[in-house]
Amino acid sequence: MTGAPVLSFAGVGRTYRSGELTVQALEELTLEVAAGELVAVMGPSGSGKSTLLAIAGGLDSPTTGEVRVEGTALRALSPAALARLRRDRIGFVFQAFNLVSGLTAAENVALPRELAGRPARAARAEALEALAEVGLAAEADRFPDQLSGGQQQRVAVARALIGQRRLLLADEPTGALDSATGQAVLDLIRARVDRGAAGVLVTHEARFAGWADRIVFLRDGRLVDSTGGRDRAEELLGS
């Protein structure tokens, strides 16, 4: 059951210039992702998938159009306010785990809460709860190099889930994982979305896109299809 839009794109375009070359990464993209909805974004290399995700998370700005997160226009925010929104309301999961090597699993997960001003003891308690949610309570005090790749990705998921994150953005989160571990990571994202977050998953694998409520397919920066189901994903990838 989906709710109100958490993420909305209205006529979003993104143009890059490299010397005399102009690249239209996104063109007139209109999209909404509701609370309780997981949307998979698919398309060939260079279709605009990563650009869409970067703009959704406020890591890049559109050339045209407007992006809103829970009704807040990102363009209207100061750099400091945008950083707070990313820290407090958006969870990022990337193919590269992006863990701080000198921090334990619990410290990595607690870091965004401490940066938000949460007392260290309370932030650690939240981190331990998030690690328990991803099945890593026993590894809380291990450093990243003491964890397997799958465990490191689950720590990264826990870091994305901690606090009141309302928008989860995942960029090929299963790309460096074996099939079983990748499925476990998707399970975690799916479970948080089912509890009311909005999720956007960039993936090239139809079997993982099949976990989504809707599949958005991009080609040359344009949205060319929006539907659901693994069969449709496989059809689009083969077209």
Side-chain angles (χ1 to χ4, degrees), residues 87 100 103 106-116 123 127 159 162:
R87 182 192 65 207
V100 180
L103 299 181
E107 289 167 343
N108 267 282
V109 176
L111 185 59
R113 299 298 286 149
E114 291 190 47
L115 292 174
R159 184 180 57 194
I162 194 171

Side-chain angles (χ1 to χ4, degrees), residues 64-183:
T64 59
E66 185 172 73
V67 180
R68 291 179 176 268
V69 173
E70 292 193 297
T72 299
L74 300 192
R75 189 184 294 274
L77 297 177
S78 68
L82 181 58
R84 285 194 298 271
L85 182 141
R86 286 198 302 264
R87 182 192 65 207
D88 298 339
R89 293 158 65 184
I90 302 176
F92 297 90
V93 185
F94 300 106
Q95 183 173 339
F97 312 132
N98 294 329
L99 301 178
V100 180
S101 61
L103 299 181
T104 66
E107 289 167 343
N108 267 282
V109 176
L111 185 59
R113 299 298 286 149
E114 291 190 47
L115 292 174
R118 191 80 165 146
R121 186 185 296 273
R124 179 175 172 82
E126 290 185 32
L128 293 177
E129 183 178 340
L131 285 169
E133 184 177 347
V134 302
L136 290 178
E139 282 73 32
D141 293 320
R142 292 182 179 273
F143 292 92
D145 64 0
Q146 297 173 314
L147 302 172
S148 69
Q151 289 174 326
Q152 289 184 60
Q153 186 61 298
R154 281 189 283 161
V155 172
V157 171
R159 184 180 57 194
L161 299 181
I162 194 171
Q164 300 302 312
R165 304 289 179 79
R166 294 282 293 145
L167 176 61
L168 300 181
L169 303 176
D171 192 1
E172 300 282 4
T174 62
L177 306 176
D178 62 71
S179 180
T181 306
Q183 182 167 319

Side-chain angles (χ1 to χ4, degrees), residues 1-6 33-39 190 193-194 196-198 213-214:
M1 187 101 179
T2 57
V6 173
V33 183
E37 182 180 31
L38 179 61
V39 173
R190 179 74 254 185
V193 169
D194 287 342
D213 301 295
R214 185 160 44 108

